[in-house]
C-alpha cells in the first residue's frame, strides 16, 4: 500500500484491513459472475472508496492469484488497457451487450 493511496479518513490500520477485505471478497466472486468496484468497497465497509479497490487490485502482488478479471464498473465496463479481461470473462460464459459492456442484469454478483 502506498501512502498516497490511503484516503484521509482511513488510518493505516484501516487501510490494511480494507486491503485484506478487498482481496478476500474478490477471491469469492464465482465463475461466470462479475461484481463492481463499488460493491466491493461497500462490502468492505467503505462504500465511497471504489477507486481504492482498483488501486489495491492493480498494485497488490496477491491480486495476480485472484479472479480480478471479474471486477468491472457499475456500467459493466472492463478495465481500460486490459484487453485480456473481456476474453477471460467470455471464457467463463459472461455475456456482453452490444455496447461492449458486461450484461450486468445477468452476471452481477451481489452477495447477501
Amino acid at each position: 500500500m502506498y501512502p498516497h493511496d490511503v484516503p484521509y479518513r482511513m488510518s493505516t490500520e484501516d487501510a490494511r484491513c480494507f486491503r485484506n477485505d478487498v482481496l478476500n471478497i474478490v477471491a469469492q466472486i464465482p465463475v461466470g459472475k462479475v461484481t463492481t468496484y463499488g460493491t466491493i468497497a461497500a462490502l468492505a465497509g467503505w462504500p465511497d472508496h471504489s477507486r481504492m479497490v482498483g488501486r489495491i487490485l492493480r498494485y497488490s502482488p496477491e491480486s495476480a492469484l485472484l479472479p480480478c478479471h471479474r471486477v468491472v464498473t457499475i456500467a459493466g465496463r472492463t478495465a481500460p488497457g486490459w484487453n485480456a479481461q473481456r476474453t477471460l470473462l467470455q471464457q467463463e460464459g459472461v455475456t456482453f451487450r452490444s455496447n461492449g459492456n458486461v450484461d450486468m442484469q445477468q452476471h452481477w454478483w451481489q452477495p447477501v
Side-chain angles (χ1 to χ4, degrees), residues 86-105:
R86 181 182 175 115
T87 303
L88 291 167
L89 291 172
Q90 287 175 319
Q91 289 172 348
E92 294 183 354
V94 173
T95 56
F96 288 77
R97 300 175 55 155
S98 60
N99 65 1
N101 295 350
V102 170
D103 182 345
M104 295 300 284
Q105 250 185 337

Side-chain angles (χ1 to χ4, degrees), residues 37-50:
Y37 299 98
T39 299
I40 294 169
L43 289 170
W46 294 83
D48 56 339
H49 285 62
S50 57

Side-chain angles (χ1 to χ4, degrees), residues 1 8 21 27 29 41 52 54 72 95:
M1 183 82 26
Y8 68 94
D21 290 346
I29 306 170
M52 191 170 171
V72 298
T95 56

Side-chain angles (χ1 to χ4, degrees), residues 68-89:
C68 295
H69 63 283
R70 298 179 189 148
V71 183
V72 298
T73 68
I74 189 77
R77 286 190 304 272
T78 56
W82 188 16
N83 298 331
Q85 184 179 14
R86 181 182 175 115
T87 303
L88 291 167
L89 291 172

Side-chain angles (χ1 to χ4, degrees), residues 10-67:
M10 200 181 266
S11 70
T12 302
E13 183 58 30
D14 286 339
R16 279 192 198 105
C17 291
F18 181 76
R19 178 184 165 282
N20 291 337
D21 290 346
V22 166
L23 297 176
N24 287 330
I25 292 164
V26 171
Q28 297 175 47
I29 306 170
V31 173
K33 294 292 184 181
V34 297
T35 199
T36 68
Y37 299 98
T39 299
I40 294 169
L43 289 170
W46 294 83
D48 56 339
H49 285 62
S50 57
R51 286 181 183 232
M52 191 170 171
V53 170
R55 286 187 213 118
I56 289 167
L57 296 180
R58 182 173 182 187
Y59 295 114
S60 294
E62 301 90 340
S63 65
L65 304 173
L66 298 174

